Amino acid sequence: MAYIVDLRSDTVTKPTEAMRHAMVNSALGDDVFGEDPTVNALESKIANMLGKQAALFVPSGTMANLIALMVHCNKRGSEALVGNCSHIFKYELGGAAHLGGILLSILENKPDGTFDLGEVEKRIRGSDIHEPITSLVAIENTQNNCGGKVLPLKWIDDLAVLCKKHSVPLHMDGARLFNAVQHSGETASRIVRDCDSVSVCFSKGLSAPVGSALVGSYHFIEQARRMRKMLGGGMRQAGVLAAAAVVALDEVVPLLALDHKRTQILAKVIEGLFLKTFQVDSEIHTNILMVRLPADSAVSADQVIQRLAQVCLDETQGDCKTPNDEGVIVKAISCNSKTIRFVLHREINDEALWLAIMKITYVFKEIDAKYQTKK
């Protein structure tokens, strides 16, 4: 039986013992009536942490972003400007268009997750009767598809000034906001200061089993609550879930630095192999590591991932095994045909990291040797 190191995503984390205890013992009520004390406590806590007036607990980050889009772009046919690498554009099934009647217009994300502010200003529309009205700009921090990059604070500030100039709201998909907090050294409230709404996920690196929060003004959250009900996100005794999120904010947020440190270690090990087939992103900000293959490589990211998920006899007879002579499987995902993504999280301790390093080193050397021989 192989030992599995799951680096596909920080969504695979399971609740801590403290979370389980809090869930079992949480005070409960009907949240649709606003009577669940644990949900109310969570919403107050996250709103205060982000320096906003109010918050809304929702089942998922996808729903949080969709609600934000539908509240800000409340006339069908409105336009939202988003990055071409953003989660809203790439991984939320076109819900903005399908459910909200919202046109997503894309801006090209740079490698650091930003986009050109001059281009934003050129793209804001609404004066011409033939064009949709630009009703929102949405950003993502950290930028998942750019390798967990933390957006520069000055860039966010400058974008906010531009949005205010044109009376266009700014939404931040802050699914991994607290990773950005850890890397930047800034408070969460400072990072989102000029954003009109923010979504925060509790079930990624924070290890809670379910849930996200949408944060903003009293008026915004009042409208968001109606949208949540319409989308089927109104939960009843939701305090059993909110209790885990409260623990996550208190106990898991301070541990994110360890995830970042271990990601840096993994990156340095791969970089130190000096293999021509595998290149690590030069800047690692948080807990996401992108490993890229050459465009002309004969091997694809999916082939590498399939090999990492296999255990060969030679591995178990060599150094690539556990102390119990088990093989090691490393799970990862691909972002495209030439990019492998590893995501570290609370459940990857030093032992799991070391086993992952052994397996990745073995497989990468094996594949690189084959590739170089073919060339």
Side-chain angles (χ1 to χ4, degrees):
M1 186 171 179
Y3 185 96
I4 297 174
V5 184
D6 197 338
L7 303 181
R8 288 174 298 173
S9 175
D10 44 10
T11 59
V12 303
T13 50
K14 311 236 177 3
T16 65
E17 285 303 313
M19 288 179 189
R20 295 172 192 268
H21 178 79
M23 292 168 75
V24 169
N25 295 285
S26 57
L28 302 176
D30 191 316
D31 180 47
V32 174
F33 290 126
E35 296 174 355
D36 191 298
T38 308
V39 172
N40 292 343
L42 170 64
E43 290 174 346
S44 177
K45 184 181 185 69
I46 190 65
N48 287 333
M49 291 177 77
L50 271 59
K52 303 297 183 186
Q53 293 178 337
L56 182 68
F57 185 52
V58 299
S60 70
T62 295
M63 183 179 285
N65 286 332
L66 178 59
I67 291 171
L69 285 159
M70 292 175 71
V71 171
H72 290 302
C73 304
N74 53 23
K75 293 181 180 177
R76 293 186 69 85
S78 296
E79 174 184 59
L81 299 178
V82 300
N84 70 317
C85 291
S86 68
H87 197 279
I88 288 173
F89 177 67
K90 290 180 67 72
Y91 303 119
E92 297 183 5
L93 285 86
H98 189 79
L99 299 171
I102 301 163
L103 170 66
L104 294 182
S105 293
I106 59 172
L107 299 155
E108 184 177 356
N109 283 116
K110 299 177 183 178
D112 66 353
T114 65
F115 38 73
D116 184 79
L117 297 186
E119 185 66 18
V120 174
E121 188 150 33
K122 291 178 185 176
R123 296 281 295 280
I124 292 175
R125 303 188 286 180
S127 58
D128 190 326
I129 194 172
H130 301 90
E131 297 179 339
I133 298 173
T134 304
S135 302
L136 182 68
V137 175
I139 57 178
E140 184 179 339
N141 197 18
T142 66
Q143 208 350 300
N144 165 43
N145 217 56
C146 292
K149 295 295 189 297
V150 176
L151 300 180
L153 188 59
K154 185 179 185 307
W155 181 83
I156 299 174
D157 290 346
D158 291 344
L159 175 60
V161 169
L162 176 60
C163 287
K164 284 181 173 61
K165 174 183 172 183
H166 293 278
S167 300
V168 176
L170 177 62
H171 171 70
M172 180 183 288
D173 174 357
R176 295 184 176 90
L177 174 63
F178 289 102
N179 291 94
V181 168
Q182 171 58 43
H183 174 78
S184 67
E186 300 286 350
T187 63
S189 59
R190 173 62 186 91
I191 292 174
V192 306
R193 182 190 67 190
D194 298 320
C195 295
D196 297 279
S197 58
V198 187
S199 61
V200 178
C201 186
F202 303 120
S203 63
K204 288 190 168 68
L206 302 190
S207 297
V210 175
S212 289
L214 185 58
V215 188
S217 68
Y218 289 127
H219 179 64
F220 172 82
I221 294 300
E222 183 180 15
Q223 296 173 81
R225 193 173 296 277
R226 292 181 65 84
M227 290 295 180
R228 182 187 71 172
K229 181 62 177 170
M230 183 177 67
L231 294 171
M235 299 178 284
R236 299 299 178 174
Q237 288 71 40
V240 71
L241 300 173
V246 172
V247 174
L249 293 174
D250 289 336
E251 297 186 6
V252 183
V253 166
L255 302 178
L256 292 176
L258 295 174
D259 299 339
H260 295 190
K261 181 181 178 182
R262 291 178 178 126
T263 307
Q264 292 282 350
I265 292 170
L266 178 58
K268 288 176 182 177
V269 168
I270 296 173
E271 190 175 32
L273 297 175
F274 300 107
L275 302 175
K276 294 182 179 180
T277 312
F278 301 96
Q279 182 178 359
V280 174
D281 271 2
S282 56
E283 264 191 288
I284 310 298
H285 286 181
T286 55
N287 64 323
I288 298 176
L289 172 61
M290 300 292 205
V291 179
R292 306 188 191 278
L293 303 165
D296 63 347
S297 173
V299 64
S300 70
D302 285 341
Q303 287 174 316
V304 176
I305 289 167
Q306 289 170 12
R307 178 62 185 89
L308 287 169
Q310 297 170 348
V311 176
C312 298
L313 182 62
D314 288 347
E315 296 176 39
T316 58
Q317 293 177 343
D319 295 329
C320 190
K321 62 182 180 181
T322 69
N324 297 325
D325 293 332
E326 298 171 334
V328 178
I329 286 173
V330 171
K331 292 185 176 182
I333 64 171
S334 60
C335 292
N336 55 53
S337 64
K338 298 297 178 184
T339 305
I340 304 159
R341 190 186 79 163
F342 297 113
V343 183
L344 279 78
H345 47 81
R346 183 187 59 81
E347 294 181 2
I348 304 302
N349 57 21
D350 289 339
E351 179 186 7
L353 175 63
W354 178 243
L355 291 173
I357 285 172
M358 286 194 302
K359 176 72 173 193
I360 291 168
T361 299
Y362 185 96
V363 170
F364 279 18
K365 283 183 174 179
E366 176 187 88
I367 290 175
D368 184 73
K370 291 180 180 177
Y371 172 67
Q372 295 304 322
T373 300
K374 288 180 180 179
K375 289 189 75 175

